[in-house]
Amino acid sequence: MKGLKKLTLATAIAAAPFAANAELKAMNDIAMGDVTGQSGVTIELSTKVDIGEVAYQDDGFLAISGLSIGGAYDPATGAQGNLDDVKLMIDVAGTGGVADTGAGAVGNAYLEGAAIAKPNVSWTNTQTTSTDPATTPAAAANEAGMPQIEDGDLVIGIRSVSGAPVDFGVGIDSVKLAKSTESANLGNLGAGTGTTLISNFKMSGMLGPIDVVIQENQNAMNVNAYFNAQGTLNADFVGTYIDFKLHNSRGTDTNGLTIVDANNNTLVDTSFAHAQVDIGKATNAAGNDALAFNVNDFSGDLDLTNIRMGSANAASIGDVYLTDMKINAQMTVYGH
Amino acid sequence: MGKATQKHYLAMAGVVLSLCAGQSFAELKPVSDNDLSGVTGGTGLSIDLSSQISMGGMTFEDSGQAKVSNLNFGGAGLTTSGQSLGLGQRLDDLTIAFDISQAGALNIGFRPLSAAGTIDWGMSTGAIDLVSASGQTTRFADGLEAWGTLLSADFRIQTDTAVSQNPKQYSLAVFTLDDLDLISNSGGLSVGNLQITGTESGGILLGSQALTDFFGSAEGMTSSEVSTAVSGAENGFAVMSTSVGTEQVNNGASTSDLRTIRVNAMAADVNVGSMGVGGVDLGAATLDNLRVSDTTIRFNPY
């Protein structure tokens, strides 16, 4: 409970610092006539978040124990650094649309622009509809669900300070079920005897451009994200243990980002899965308000390797490779 | 507020926001530590789903490879025969309910959105090939199409103080397979119009007493699952109860944990419209009142 109170407090305070970082200028009424707009807010972020337990109670509990969010896990030592090098650009667009935002472009168009502006960066994407990115950087075909940025839209662009993709890591010690009678152990449900759904989940990856657009005239948050991930997962309750890798380097739908240094040494050579998700309000079949969670696109290649059954130490039965996976899902979420 | 503190709070805010997004649908109530002992919990969560999944290819790699191209999962309209009936290509009219019981069991139920309806499902694939380590390819089939309906599917993941209780996951599916076609143009294995329906949808009828006795004696089925199974069968649906988990198996000198799938009870009529191998027609087959029980499959990697 102590932790929850702190989090609630953090929410309340969190809104305040946004204004503090903005380049606000004092101005009088006469000067206002010349104003063409402000420059938006940029936040550079370095963070590591560890949560001992996240417990969801329906009647019984579902407890996520040992949740950590930070930088990528060191493959040799297993140590996790900070989630750093993150740059958040927050703008409310004017009549100039996307040009009014800090990032200047969304998703694929941003990467095309970066590749043109910097000779050491190269970006290819078979999903792009742009015939000549030099003159007209374009959205990729799988970004079609993203709205055109218009006057009054709130735009949050997540980029990096360095220009290279941001590395991230997420770990979960266990996800367990617990009986309602175990409420006295809240905070330590992971030590109980309940069924373990998932354990030893460790995921590291890179974040490409992520854009969040809340339109001035729609009750929806539109998210467009390029990212990749790899890691390990134990699904204990069905006795299945796997390593996984999500990317987009195989098949007919591929993309690729490479960045080299001044001596032509490769700094980054990677590919990104893509997700375009709209979160908003919907009406369910019973006519009640509900949360709408629409996955307009989730695409990439998924490798499930070192698949073991029975125990994590068992011999691998082989690998499964899913190529050019595309998921489209409309979900309406509510209590019952 | 110092800069470091600001960053800290911003980071926390991000977490809180993402948590809020996940929890806003649940009926969360603020509770103090003292209140917690009196809490009886929230109402659980429903998701209405409409979805379609496609993959350019799926490869299973052991020493050689099994390759399937162009996989599609969604509604019955993905198949030729489902489409001719005017059925859509998306898996929709589906609501999924998640509940965690007081006993700590996670129950996941799939139901049609309209109480009187069923969920139509479908899948299709392109060519299925076997590839040797040296690159030699054998075409197993040119494609697979299957569709059917789902009346209900329930998954129950148990929590019990007996740690040895295994398997932990039980499922009960009440469904039909209306048409499965394994297509072989070049003379491999072919199957046409494979149907799986309920025992009471044709042939000799078992009757409700025999169905109740059969499902009632199945291991791992609760009494409400038995009545779901019986009424599903009486309405023309195939019924299958399975459980999945790990089991300790003694291999003489040593014991090892093996993944286990148990078929607790299955009852269906199976009709195969046509079968062929190498272009030779093997005719049709009908299995009336097929019942499987107490069957355990263990996966033993080597």
Side-chain angles (χ1 to χ4, degrees):
Chain A
M1 285 310 290
K2 230 175 171 182
L4 270 175
K5 277 178 190 159
K6 273 186 194 162
L7 289 174
T8 321
L9 180 66
T11 326
I13 295 174
F18 288 164
N21 289 357
E23 293 176 19
L24 287 179
K25 305 153 193 131
M27 59 182 94
N28 57 35
D29 283 357
I30 298 161
M32 285 288 281
D34 297 329
V35 166
T36 54
Q38 315 293 323
S39 62
V41 186
T42 301
I43 296 167
E44 294 181 6
L45 180 71
S46 171
T47 181
K48 183 159 190 307
V49 179
D50 291 290
I51 302 175
E53 177 180 288
V54 179
Y56 165 67
Q57 183 174 27
D58 177 3
D59 283 309
F61 292 97
L62 186 142
I64 303 170
S65 303
L67 172 67
S68 61
I69 302 166
Y73 288 93
D74 186 315
T77 65
Q80 187 183 29
N82 279 7
L83 177 67
D84 53 13
D85 195 29
V86 178
K87 185 158 84 171
L88 289 162
M89 288 176 278
I90 303 168
D91 295 274
V92 180
T95 51
V98 72
D100 290 343
T101 65
V106 166
N108 182 71
Y110 175 83
L111 288 163
E112 283 186 351
I116 292 159
K118 297 188 176 162
N120 65 330
V121 177
S122 121
W123 168 247
T124 58
N125 186 1
T126 55
Q127 280 281 336
T128 188
T129 54
S130 169
T131 46
D132 184 6
T135 54
T136 48
N142 56 9
E143 282 174 14
M146 279 302 277
Q148 199 77 32
I149 292 167
E150 289 170 351
D151 198 353
D153 294 351
L154 174 66
V155 182
I156 304 171
I158 302 171
R159 303 289 187 270
S160 67
V161 179
S162 67
V166 172
D167 67 278
F168 75 96
V170 176
I172 292 172
D173 287 346
S174 73
V175 179
K176 269 193 166 187
L177 296 171
K179 297 179 184 193
S180 61
T181 50
E182 288 183 63
S183 59
N185 296 329
L186 198 59
N188 196 24
L189 292 172
T193 55
T195 297
T196 305
L197 299 178
I198 288 168
S199 67
N200 289 333
F201 174 75
K202 270 206 168 80
M203 174 170 82
S204 296
M206 290 185 201
L207 304 178
I210 298 174
D211 296 278
V212 180
V213 178
I214 301 169
Q215 287 175 278
E216 177 268 332
N217 54 0
Q218 296 282 333
N219 283 326
M221 179 164 85
N222 308 272
V223 182
N224 189 57
Y226 287 90
F227 60 98
N228 60 41
Q230 58 186 340
T232 59
L233 172 72
N234 295 353
D236 299 80
F237 74 113
V238 286
T240 302
Y241 307 84
I242 55 170
D243 296 345
F244 63 88
K245 186 177 179 187
L246 180 64
H247 57 99
N248 195 4
S249 61
R250 201 171 48 227
T252 50
D253 170 19
T254 61
N255 63 43
L257 176 72
T258 53
I259 302 176
V260 296
D261 69 8
N263 299 321
N264 226 19
N265 297 315
T266 303
L267 301 175
V268 174
D269 182 3
T270 194
S271 65
F272 295 120
H274 174 258
Q276 204 276 298
V277 176
D278 294 347
I279 302 163
K281 218 166 137 178
T283 307
N284 68 10
N288 300 320
D289 283 343
L291 173 76
F293 193 93
N294 294 335
V295 181
N296 295 323
D297 181 67
F298 182 91
S299 54
D301 303 328
L302 180 63
D303 303 353
L304 303 174
T305 55
N306 192 19
I307 301 171
R308 289 143 289 157
M309 288 180 170
S311 88
N313 301 321
S316 167
I317 63 155
D319 306 328
V320 173
Y321 298 96
L322 308 180
T323 305
D324 291 348
M325 179 174 67
K326 277 185 96 63
I327 297 175
N328 179 297
Q330 262 77 56
M331 288 182 271
T332 310
V333 183
Y334 49 93
H336 59 232
Chain B
M1 200 185 293
K3 206 173 176 188
T5 322
Q6 277 181 17
K7 282 183 179 174
H8 180 67
Y9 275 124
L10 286 171
M12 298 291 267
V15 177
V16 173
L17 286 174
S18 58
L19 286 175
C20 288
Q23 293 182 340
S24 55
F25 37 76
E27 289 179 18
L28 286 181
K29 305 144 192 148
V31 281
S32 72
D33 284 345
N34 295 340
D35 283 342
L36 267 169
S37 56
V39 166
T40 55
T43 58
L45 157 74
S46 289
I47 297 177
D48 297 348
L49 179 71
S50 163
S51 177
Q52 191 178 344
I53 299 173
S54 68
M55 282 173 229
M58 182 169 90
T59 304
F60 172 71
E61 190 170 292
D62 186 7
S63 296
Q65 294 179 336
K67 276 184 164 174
V68 185
S69 66
N70 293 327
L71 292 95
N72 291 287
F73 302 94
L78 289 172
T79 65
T80 314
S81 64
Q83 197 178 23
S84 67
L85 294 171
L87 295 162
Q89 296 199 343
R90 295 177 71 85
L91 181 70
D92 51 13
D93 301 326
L94 167 63
T95 181
I96 309 169
F98 296 85
D99 285 286
I100 304 168
S101 74
Q102 294 211 0
L106 174 63
N107 296 300
I108 306 172
F110 293 72
R111 295 284 181 280
L113 206 48
S114 56
T118 58
I119 303 152
D120 68 276
W121 60 270
M123 63 163 292
S124 68
T125 76
I128 304 169
D129 291 318
L130 302 173
V131 186
S132 73
S134 60
Q136 200 169 12
T137 301
T138 304
R139 179 139 299 183
F140 176 74
D142 290 285
L144 174 73
E145 289 192 350
W147 75 271
T149 61
L150 182 71
L151 184 65
S152 70
D154 289 280
F155 295 87
R156 174 161 53 89
I157 301 157
Q158 300 270 87
T159 276
D160 202 285
T161 41
V163 180
S164 61
Q165 186 221 24
N166 263 316
K168 296 189 184 295
Q169 190 234 290
Y170 295 82
S171 68
L172 176 68
V174 182
F175 68 100
T176 62
L177 172 66
D178 287 65
D179 187 9
L180 180 145
D181 298 297
L182 185 68
I183 303 149
S184 283
N185 299 325
S186 50
L189 180 70
S190 71
V191 175
N193 296 327
L194 171 66
Q195 288 187 331
I196 301 177
T197 53
T199 54
E200 311 302 89
S201 61
I204 296 166
L205 308 187
L206 289 173
S208 62
Q209 188 57 52
L211 285 167
T212 309
D213 291 348
F214 174 68
F215 290 114
S217 63
E219 194 184 340
M221 287 180 75
T222 64
S223 58
S224 77
E225 285 172 349
V226 170
S227 60
T228 303
V230 172
S231 94
E234 286 176 340
N235 286 302
F237 291 89
V239 178
M240 179 143 101
S241 162
T242 58
S243 41
V244 179
T246 53
E247 267 177 35
Q248 274 208 340
V249 177
N250 196 328
N251 298 331
S254 63
T255 57
S256 53
D257 290 324
L258 296 183
R259 185 183 167 166
T260 305
I261 296 179
R262 270 196 215 148
V263 179
N264 302 315
M266 185 227 180
D269 284 355
V270 179
N271 283 290
V272 187
S274 64
M275 294 179 287
V277 175
V280 178
D281 185 10
L282 297 179
T286 300
L287 306 176
D288 192 35
N289 296 341
L290 171 68
R291 277 160 291 173
V292 179
S293 61
D294 301 315
T295 301
T296 303
I297 304 161
R298 294 194 185 92
F299 291 86
N300 198 349
Y302 62 89

